[in-house]
Amino acid sequence: MQRARFATTVLVATAAVATVASTASAASKAGNPPCLPKVTKIAGHIAAVGCGPATATLRIGGKSYTFRNGFCSQSKTSGAAPQLDLGTTVTGVAGNAGKADFHMLVDARIHSAFGSGSVFNADYGGRRILGDSLIKVHGSPPSRGTFNGTTATGVKFTGSWNCHGFVWQRP
């Protein structure tokens, strides 16, 4: 799952570079992302460092975690579910090299039919604080909202996200 998210991040960054290069004169009308994630190495492992205005907060186990540096996206051609990627994804290292990382996918079909979506993962402070959990979504997807759910071990969690006015309509 982590490799798939990293591959998606790299593909999105590559597509964005191609789009920016081919439509530089119409950048404001082309629907480009607000920035390009930086691909680098952290602790000797490939990493994608997020950027952008989006934020999210996760409350679980009596603690609150804030995630920054990312943006919301949605496929305009396929109508795919809105996606939120925040923080830094480091491949092949335990605890995500201590970097904060949050990935959420809100499936519009599930949202409208059942009020649910899925959170893929949240890492913070060198440990996984939430993994593959179904959530109930409220608010105004994809731009902002709240969510709540219960982990596989029965721990309840809540949270919120805000795209801060920017949802990239990717190809």
Side-chain angles (χ1 to χ4, degrees):
M1 181 72 78
Q2 187 175 13
R3 287 181 190 207
R5 281 191 311 276
F6 181 74
T8 299
T9 301
V10 171
L11 287 173
V12 166
T14 302
V17 168
T19 301
V20 169
S22 67
T23 61
S25 63
S28 63
K29 297 177 186 175
N32 295 318
C35 57
L36 298 176
K38 178 181 176 186
V39 177
T40 188
K41 283 195 172 188
I42 295 176
H45 297 272
I46 296 173
V49 179
C51 58
T55 58
T57 300
L58 174 64
R59 290 172 288 287
I60 185 169
K63 295 183 180 180
S64 288
Y65 304 90
T66 300
F67 300 86
R68 301 182 195 309
N69 303 322
F71 55 88
C72 305
S73 65
Q74 184 173 27
S75 172
K76 67 179 174 183
T77 55
S78 68
Q83 181 175 323
L84 176 62
D85 297 299
L86 302 171
T88 300
T89 301
V90 184
T91 60
V93 62
N96 199 47
K99 303 297 182 182
D101 191 33
F102 181 92
H103 300 278
M104 182 172 80
L105 179 72
V106 179
D107 190 317
R109 295 166 298 174
I110 296 172
H111 173 69
S112 62
F114 305 106
S116 297
S118 64
V119 169
F120 286 134
N121 77 322
D123 292 286
Y124 201 94
R127 67 183 186 93
R128 171 76 36 106
I129 57 173
L130 183 66
D132 298 341
S133 299
L134 289 176
I135 59 174
K136 185 169 183 175
V137 175
H138 310 278
S140 304
S143 60
R144 67 180 174 274
T146 62
F147 58 89
N148 63 295
T150 305
T151 67
T153 59
V155 177
K156 293 182 186 269
F157 61 89
T158 61
S160 62
W161 82 93
N162 189 333
C163 299
H164 295 283
F166 190 90
V167 178
W168 177 41
Q169 298 296 311
R170 66 185 185 275

